[in-house]
Amino acid sequence: MNKTVRAAIVGSTGYGGVELIRFLGGHPQVEITSVLSSSSSGVPIAEGYPHLSEIVTDLLDGIDIPAIREKADVVFTATPHGVSSKLVPQLLDAGLKVIDLSGDFRLKSGDQYRQWYKHEPAQTELLQEAVYGLSEVFGDEVTSARFVSNPGCYPTATLLGLIPALSAGWIDPRSIIVDAKSGVSGAGRGASLGTHYSEINENFKAYKVNKHQHTPEIEQVLSLLSGEQVTVTFTPHLVPMTRGIMATMYATLNDAHTEEDLIELYRQYYEGRPFVRIRDKGKWPATKEVYGSNYCDIGFAADERTGRVTIISVIDNLVKGAAGQAIQNMNLMMGWNETLGLKLTPVYP
């Protein structure tokens, strides 16, 4: 615990990269030695993010693998899809540990990646090597990994909400419907018509219906854990708020399990995993209650009339859905307590 780990952040000018800076800046075992951007090399990061003035004073570095290796032990790649697939192999060859926040290594099938992401896939051997970093489920694998693929934001909320019930055989895997809502920061900082203020303000809309690239990621993990092919109906929505994801999931119960049964099952499953909080009966989480934190809060409503269960899961999409979970994975990779640098109380109100 005495050794300071040197961290580099590629893609520092995106929202995920800036959240990494916020959390790693307070991490007791990490020193940020390089913030990198291929598009803004040589520019102070505070020029684009004035809130970092006098906090991060170094100029943004360009992408130079030998230079990164000289400065860093671990690299976070918070890059657009299609970039990490080319960059990560070079970083691994240089002997660096890598945590990738893009979607380039989440899917094990290159054909699926090509279909859903519309890019050419990464090397097959690296797709197979990448450990899927859903810490609460695959944490043991993360501890021995040199390369972790950080889950997507929607899959994090969805999978943490579904996995205990599915693994216990309490829900029918053929019946799963996921109705998810995200704040606008999930679309990134780049301007577009869909996230223009006058388009999103006082508006609420579905998008990428049956076509969102996180669908096969959710199905891949659920299929792995259930031992059978699982397909889901997944509909994302954009909400006029900055941060947060709420995934509301519906599934048919295989037996007459009560809300008390579900609460007990989930508390046992996540025992010792400090970032998942299970609500008491009749209490359902809200996005504001995890704002700015690495928590995932989950609540339930079992319907005896329909024989179905409603599972509600909330996260901050930029923290548990991105930077926070990446740091949680780094902590596990380094053999540290997974809460190190992450024990921030949610911002409320």
Side-chain angles (χ1 to χ4, degrees), residues 107-127:
L107 300 179
K108 297 302 182 184
S109 166
D111 290 339
Q112 271 202 331
Y113 177 85
R114 188 181 292 109
Q115 174 189 347
W116 289 85
Y117 282 85
K118 311 304 180 187
H119 291 287
E120 284 303 303
Q123 302 168 15
T124 300
E125 57 269 27
L126 285 182
L127 292 179

Side-chain angles (χ1 to χ4, degrees), residues 318-329:
L318 294 178
V319 188
K320 186 59 173 171
Q325 185 156 232
I327 295 168
Q328 189 177 352
N329 282 317

Side-chain angles (χ1 to χ4, degrees), residues 281-298:
K281 181 179 178 181
K283 305 291 184 181
W284 301 286
T287 58
K288 180 74 80 173
E289 293 158 1
V290 295
Y291 195 98
S293 80
N294 199 49
Y295 288 105
C296 173
D297 289 4
I298 304 172

Side-chain angles (χ1 to χ4, degrees), residues 106-108 112 115-116 132 138 154-156 158-159 162-163 166 173-174 176-178 210-235:
R106 294 173 188 157
L107 300 179
K108 297 302 182 184
Q112 271 202 331
Q115 174 189 347
W116 289 85
Y132 188 71
F138 302 109
Y154 280 127
T156 296
T158 300
L159 292 168
L162 287 172
I163 283 172
L166 185 71
R174 299 165 296 181
I176 297 170
I177 297 172
V178 182
N210 297 329
K211 294 181 180 179
H212 197 282
Q213 67 272 16
H214 286 169
T215 304
E217 182 181 341
I218 294 167
E219 293 177 345
Q220 175 180 267
V221 176
L222 295 180
S223 297
L224 174 68
L225 295 175
S226 69
E228 61 180 286
Q229 182 60 44
V230 177
T231 56
V232 302
T233 297
F234 173 67
T235 305

Side-chain angles (χ1 to χ4, degrees), residues 1-190:
M1 280 290 294
N2 293 324
K3 180 184 176 183
T4 297
V5 167
R6 302 170 302 164
I9 303 168
V10 180
S12 299
T13 55
Y15 288 146
V18 168
E19 277 295 85
L20 284 167
I21 291 171
R22 181 168 77 94
F23 278 92
L24 290 174
H27 196 293
Q29 295 298 128
V30 175
E31 177 188 2
I32 301 174
T33 54
S34 184
V35 287
L36 303 101
S37 170
S38 60
S39 61
S40 304
S41 175
V43 176
I45 192 169
E47 186 170 302
Y49 288 100
H51 73 289
L52 293 176
S53 297
E54 300 183 30
I55 297 173
V56 180
T57 57
D58 293 340
L59 301 181
L60 287 160
D61 292 327
I63 309 300
D64 182 316
I65 301 301
I68 296 171
R69 183 65 190 95
E70 284 296 314
K71 291 185 175 183
D73 305 302
V74 60
V75 180
F76 296 88
T77 49
T79 61
H81 308 314
V83 175
S84 286
S85 60
K86 301 176 180 63
L87 180 61
V88 166
Q90 300 175 64
L91 295 170
L92 292 172
D93 287 345
L96 292 153
K97 291 181 181 290
V98 177
I99 301 166
D100 181 48
L101 281 74
S102 82
D104 284 0
F105 296 92
R106 294 173 188 157
L107 300 179
K108 297 302 182 184
S109 166
D111 290 339
Q112 271 202 331
Y113 177 85
R114 188 181 292 109
Q115 174 189 347
W116 289 85
Y117 282 85
K118 311 304 180 187
H119 291 287
E120 284 303 303
Q123 302 168 15
T124 300
E125 57 269 27
L126 285 182
L127 292 179
Q128 300 310 311
E129 179 186 348
V131 173
Y132 188 71
L134 191 65
S135 306
E136 285 75 15
V137 180
F138 302 109
D140 290 344
E141 296 176 39
V142 171
T143 57
S144 58
R146 66 167 185 156
F147 174 33
V148 169
S149 177
N150 217 53
C153 51
Y154 280 127
T156 296
T158 300
L159 292 168
L160 291 175
L162 287 172
I163 283 172
L166 185 71
S167 297
W170 285 17
I171 58 175
D172 182 351
R174 299 165 296 181
S175 69
I176 297 170
I177 297 172
V178 182
D179 182 348
K181 295 94 173 171
S182 175
V184 184
S185 62
R189 203 181 196 198

